[in-house]
Amino acid sequence: MEIKDKLKILADAAKYDVSCSSSGSSRKNKADGIGNAAISGICHSWSDDGRCISLLKILLTNYCIYNCAYCINRASNDLPRAAFTPNEVAELTINFYRRNYIEGLFLSSAIMINPDHTMEQLLNTVKILRTEHNFNGYIHVKAIPGADSRLIHETGLYVDRMSVNIELPSNGGLKLLAPQKKKEEIIKPMSLITKQHQQSKEERRAFKSSPAFAPAGQSTQLIVGATQDHDFQILKLSEGLYNRFQLKRVYYSAYVPVGVHPNLPVLANPPTLREHRLYQADWLLRFYGFSADELLNERQPNFDVQLDPKCDWALNNFSLFPIEINKAEYHMLLRVPGIGVQSARRIIAARRLAPISYDGLKKIGVVLKRAKYFITCQGKYYSEVGLKDHLIRESLTVKPILSPSNQNEKQLSFFDVYKLKESIITGEL
Amino acid sequence: MIIFVFDNTFEGLLTAVYEAYYTNARPDRIVTEVYHQPNLVDAVKFIETDEVKSNKVYDAIVKKVSKEALRHVYHAFLSETVDAPTIIYRYLTIAFKMGQQVDHLLTNKHILEIHKISKKVTREKHRMLGLVRFQLIKEDLYYASIEPDHHIVGLLAPHFAKRMADQNWIIHDKKRDTAAIFDKSQWFIAPLQYKNEITNNNEEALYQELWKTYFKNIAIKERKNSKLQRSFMPTRYWKHLTEKS
């Protein structure tokens, strides 16, 4: 098989993995080496679905021994299969990198033969890149659940980020759609990576030359909409992962129907709006000091798709508002809809020099469309509907846009009107 | 109106700022000779670039204000917009009074103006770090052509000098006929006029083909979103992108 055909199959097989970030590592280039990592990460292109392309995201192989219903690469699925050799992947990465197509490699794999064999192949690939090609760009590799912990440990010493995909947010979903996998098997490598990462961090504090273990940390991915799990369960899980495993990111992937199975839901379109709400809530957890219990609860287990989670929270806790922009503390400013981390910081900096006026807020970059209902500025409240939370909710709700699927409506044509008039004139009504 | 005209160099601009401080006639506008259009009404003063004077202003910005302010000034200069020199001058008059706190004056019109253009340049620079596409045109010589809105080729060079340290490369700004050239040890900026079409050898053609294949297959068709794609990667850049041309 030619390299182009392999690339076609194995890029296609990897596209459902949403992780794309190349940030968090400051690996430096070495003498006679190629590549370095940018701490902020760099996007190199944007594909037709609008998602960024930062890393060469491919599977080593899509031959799989597992048969998970939600996965395109399941053993029972009839699709073309291919496998790269570690050398082919290394060549491809280096040549793409030299042309500045990519920021590095994101290597994943289906499970060929057994987990240990697969992990060994992944390890070989990154070893070739780092030692033979002297490559110092970004590498993100999947840890294979069930593989020997020594293999995972050794791989971690070569790469910048490691991840294990949880995919299904609950044990029930796992039993239903991926009966060959067990929750414990997925959690085990995750806690191993967390431990090693922290240990190497501490060691490096004492001895700068001691090896770094996955310096850009760990991430995971959850599929949204393949099982009956509520947003509350998903968000609770993410919160746990951030707190217990110090994950850098949890990615959410709206389920794209890839097969027919009695246990799978039938969806017309991937639930991208729900995915978007979860990402918004995820940001609230990581950067805005919210907890999952504040945003959702057993009575309201799902997000309102028409209102973003922060607005929803603010309206449910309306007694806390309005707050005075020139006095409120940082953590409270962060909780106002329409004020983000950057504008909150700017408000703090600007009000040290002079009180901020309503007009000044706009210049700072606050989204007044949302913020005006929840703030006072130099003592004055600016919303036109007053302090009534039900009216505010109404004006903040996204108005449903007429969907193009409504086939019965059509635009009137000039000639239709003409015909109508003609029939009136001729009396043929 | 009093107008200062300088020679479109950064040193020229700083000399103009120096002159504005030490002459009685304060300028209402500062423009480069590129944009200057003479008329009968305005009093025009041509500034002669003076290294001593410009160095004084340069050092004063770092010492009396901050390195951050110098970065804003330089990036605003690189934006090559008509109003940039005037905006820089107004910013510096406030900055020399306020000191290092000046960048916290976020509700001031003049401060916001310079932050806005300097941010535009910084953004384009960051975007271009990803969008530069090298082609192997000869043995061990990589060439990339770009047409950025702002004059950022000098900001891109240090990044690639660190990253592609073991290859010779040229980043060619076709709009300005300038190029950053790297010879495996150091980079420099030089004028370059090269209009010819580049023909690819076999190896180069193969990798371009592979990259296009990858680009096509990594998209999820069910989630196609051209608007989002264009907002991140505006169509004016597509001409120089392997995957889009």
Side-chain angles (χ1 to χ4, degrees):
Chain A
M1 193 184 272
E2 264 193 61
I3 191 97
K4 189 181 159 189
D5 300 313
K6 285 190 185 178
L7 182 65
K8 201 169 163 182
I9 294 168
L10 294 169
D12 197 75
K15 70 184 175 190
Y16 295 104
D17 219 308
V18 290
S19 167
C20 72
S21 98
S22 55
S23 59
S25 180
S26 51
R27 192 181 290 273
K28 299 239 168 20
N29 200 355
K30 293 187 187 127
D32 301 321
I34 173 180
N36 58 4
I39 187 87
S40 62
I42 295 173
C43 298
H44 284 254
S45 192
W46 283 267
S47 62
D48 290 340
D49 49 18
R51 300 185 310 162
C52 94
I53 300 174
S54 181
L55 305 171
L56 171 63
K57 180 160 54 183
I58 44 173
L59 298 192
L60 197 60
T61 172
N62 64 345
Y63 287 105
C64 197
I65 54 169
Y66 289 122
N67 198 20
C68 311
Y70 60 82
C71 180
I72 185 128
N73 300 316
R74 62 189 179 278
S76 66
N77 201 12
D78 181 21
L79 87 174
R81 307 267 169 180
F84 276 126
T85 65
N87 267 318
E88 281 170 342
V89 173
E91 278 296 317
L92 207 54
T93 309
I94 290 290
N95 275 295
F96 275 13
Y97 196 87
R98 286 197 181 281
R99 289 166 176 79
N100 202 38
Y101 297 162
I102 51 167
E103 194 61 18
L105 174 67
F106 177 6
L107 190 60
S108 179
S109 182
I111 315 298
M112 191 162 59
I113 305 175
N114 59 45
D116 278 342
H117 173 82
T118 314
M119 197 68 224
E120 237 173 62
Q121 293 278 305
L122 294 178
L123 172 60
N124 264 338
T125 314
V126 293
K127 227 187 207 168
I128 290 170
L129 270 170
R130 288 280 194 238
T131 53
E132 285 177 28
H133 293 276
N134 212 348
F135 176 71
N136 300 302
Y138 195 93
I139 300 181
H140 176 171
V141 160
K142 283 254 126 73
I144 305 295
D148 194 294
S149 58
R150 275 168 300 182
L151 286 172
I152 293 178
H153 175 239
E154 201 187 339
T155 311
L157 297 174
Y158 290 104
V159 303
D160 294 282
R161 174 168 284 185
M162 271 185 121
S163 60
V164 184
N165 278 4
I166 296 182
E167 304 288 13
L168 300 171
S170 69
N171 230 342
L174 214 54
K175 274 195 191 118
L176 210 59
L177 297 177
Q180 289 156 301
K181 287 185 182 166
K182 284 182 196 69
K183 191 179 144 199
E184 293 70 37
E185 253 179 33
I186 299 172
I187 297 297
K188 207 179 123 198
M190 288 183 88
S191 63
L192 177 85
I193 295 169
T194 308
K195 251 185 245 152
Q196 301 278 3
H197 176 71
Q198 265 162 346
Q199 199 184 333
S200 103
K201 227 168 146 185
E202 260 161 49
E203 280 170 10
R204 279 168 70 82
R205 221 168 274 153
F207 306 101
K208 251 193 162 172
S209 58
S210 66
F213 183 92
Q218 180 179 191
S219 66
T220 191
Q221 168 173 313
L222 301 170
I223 296 182
V224 180
T227 51
Q228 296 302 316
D229 302 300
H230 297 303
D231 291 347
F232 185 47
Q233 273 169 295
I234 296 174
L235 207 61
K236 269 295 223 190
L237 176 62
S238 305
E239 191 179 41
L241 291 169
Y242 287 131
N243 294 342
R244 273 185 50 213
F245 290 130
Q246 278 88 44
L247 251 62
K248 280 276 151 56
R249 278 293 292 273
V250 175
Y251 289 93
Y252 306 92
S253 162
Y255 172 67
V256 179
V258 289
V260 188
H261 188 272
N263 291 340
L264 276 175
V266 181
L267 303 166
N269 287 313
T272 45
L273 190 53
R274 187 176 166 204
E275 177 195 285
H276 177 58
R277 294 290 178 235
L278 277 166
Y279 270 118
Q280 288 180 315
D282 187 83
W283 250 251
L284 294 180
L285 294 185
R286 289 190 298 145
F287 302 113
Y288 291 77
F290 281 89
S291 68
D293 291 314
E294 285 179 288
L295 297 170
L296 292 169
N297 51 49
E298 296 294 341
R299 268 173 295 123
Q300 192 207 344
N302 283 317
F303 285 114
D304 186 347
V305 280
Q306 293 185 340
L307 198 64
D308 71 84
K310 203 182 184 188
C311 282
D312 202 24
W313 173 85
L315 286 167
N316 291 337
N317 297 277
F318 201 62
S319 57
L320 299 171
F321 297 100
I323 62 156
E324 170 57 44
I325 283 295
N326 286 298
K327 281 185 186 154
E329 283 175 44
Y330 178 69
H331 78 270
M332 203 54 214
L333 283 174
L334 274 183
R335 296 196 159 216
V336 178
I339 297 182
V341 174
Q342 203 170 22
S343 35
R345 282 191 185 156
R346 285 175 167 194
I347 288 171
I348 302 274
R351 74 184 184 191
R352 274 200 201 120
L353 298 174
I356 303 171
S357 66
Y358 191 64
D359 201 39
L361 274 185
K362 199 180 210 165
K363 287 187 194 152
I364 279 173
V366 172
V367 186
L368 289 173
K369 192 173 77 180
R370 288 196 287 282
K372 66 179 173 192
Y373 303 108
F374 305 98
I375 54 167
T376 60
C377 204
Q378 294 177 312
K380 195 173 172 221
Y381 185 66
Y382 283 86
S383 134
E384 62 280 359
V385 297
L387 271 170
K388 301 198 176 63
D389 53 341
H390 63 281
L391 289 179
I392 296 172
R393 185 177 287 272
E394 203 169 283
S395 32
L396 281 174
T397 304
V398 182
K399 307 280 180 302
I401 305 158
L402 269 182
S403 61
S405 59
N406 200 346
Q407 298 291 337
N408 297 330
E409 293 175 12
K410 63 173 182 187
Q411 192 173 354
L412 280 178
S413 137
F414 176 75
F415 299 102
D416 289 349
V417 179
Y418 182 72
K419 261 184 215 157
L420 189 73
K421 273 188 183 155
E422 196 178 40
S423 65
I424 294 170
I425 295 163
T426 52
E428 280 179 272
L429 270 174
Chain B
M1 226 189 331
I2 300 172
I3 298 179
F4 281 12
V5 179
F6 69 102
D7 61 355
N8 204 17
T9 61
F10 191 55
E11 289 73 28
L13 171 66
L14 295 185
T15 313
V17 173
Y18 182 93
E19 295 292 343
Y21 263 80
Y22 292 100
T23 48
N24 289 328
R26 293 284 166 96
D28 298 292
R29 287 186 66 206
I30 300 180
V31 289
T32 68
E33 57 190 13
V34 183
Y35 289 116
H36 176 59
Q37 280 182 338
N39 61 26
L40 290 172
V41 196
D42 296 329
V44 177
K45 182 177 175 184
F46 288 93
I47 303 293
E48 215 168 292
T49 304
D50 182 323
E51 212 171 304
V52 179
K53 288 175 183 170
S54 77
N55 278 344
K56 272 185 186 164
V57 178
Y58 187 97
D59 292 340
I61 298 174
V62 178
K63 272 188 204 136
K64 293 194 175 149
V65 193
S66 62
K67 275 193 174 166
E68 188 63 12
L70 183 66
R71 192 183 65 78
H72 281 306
V73 168
Y74 187 53
H75 281 201
F77 169 72
L78 292 178
S79 76
E80 295 195 334
T81 47
V82 193
D83 297 328
T86 316
I87 290 170
I88 290 168
Y89 169 59
R90 292 205 184 114
Y91 169 75
L92 284 177
T93 35
I94 302 170
F96 283 136
K97 268 186 216 152
M98 289 279 298
Q100 54 180 343
Q101 289 230 307
V102 66
D103 288 315
H104 292 167
L105 211 62
L106 292 163
T107 50
N108 184 301
K109 198 178 105 198
H110 301 303
I111 311 294
L112 275 176
E113 268 177 341
I114 194 167
H115 284 185
K116 217 164 133 190
I117 28 178
S118 117
K119 196 192 232 166
K120 262 191 187 164
V121 175
T122 314
R123 276 215 183 123
E124 189 180 44
K125 175 210 152 191
H126 183 80
R127 180 139 61 183
M128 217 32 111
L129 292 183
L131 293 182
V132 167
R133 295 280 177 271
F134 287 108
Q135 309 177 40
L136 187 62
I137 54 169
K138 261 204 291 198
E139 190 159 339
D140 199 22
L141 177 60
Y142 288 83
Y143 168 89
S145 55
I146 54 172
E147 278 177 79
D149 300 341
H150 310 299
H151 192 11
I152 51 169
V153 72
L155 300 176
L156 299 176
H159 170 84
F160 289 106
K162 272 188 223 137
R163 173 166 292 198
M164 311 320 193
D166 68 339
Q167 64 193 50
N168 297 312
W169 51 253
I170 298 171
I171 300 173
H172 182 198
D173 186 340
K174 280 193 156 175
K175 220 178 188 173
R176 294 168 183 83
D177 290 329
T178 332
I181 299 166
F182 180 75
D183 64 354
K184 293 192 190 175
S185 63
Q186 54 186 344
W187 64 271
F188 55 93
I189 302 277
L192 178 71
Q193 278 184 316
Y194 184 76
K195 298 270 186 286
N196 299 354
E197 277 290 305
I198 287 164
T199 44
N200 292 318
N201 56 28
N202 285 344
E203 192 196 341
E204 179 57 32
L206 168 73
Y207 282 107
Q208 291 197 8
E209 185 63 30
L210 287 175
W211 174 238
K212 283 179 190 166
T213 309
Y214 176 73
F215 183 79
K216 208 176 117 207
N217 284 286
I218 202 66
I220 299 178
K221 272 138 215 96
E222 290 87 341
R223 299 186 58 143
K224 190 174 160 62
N225 192 343
S226 310
K227 204 177 145 198
L228 188 63
Q229 182 189 34
R230 281 197 308 273
S231 78
F232 285 124
M233 194 166 71
T235 37
R236 64 177 182 277
Y237 296 124
W238 287 13
K239 204 166 104 194
H240 298 283
L241 293 176
T242 314
E243 64 270 30
K244 276 292 177 191
S245 56

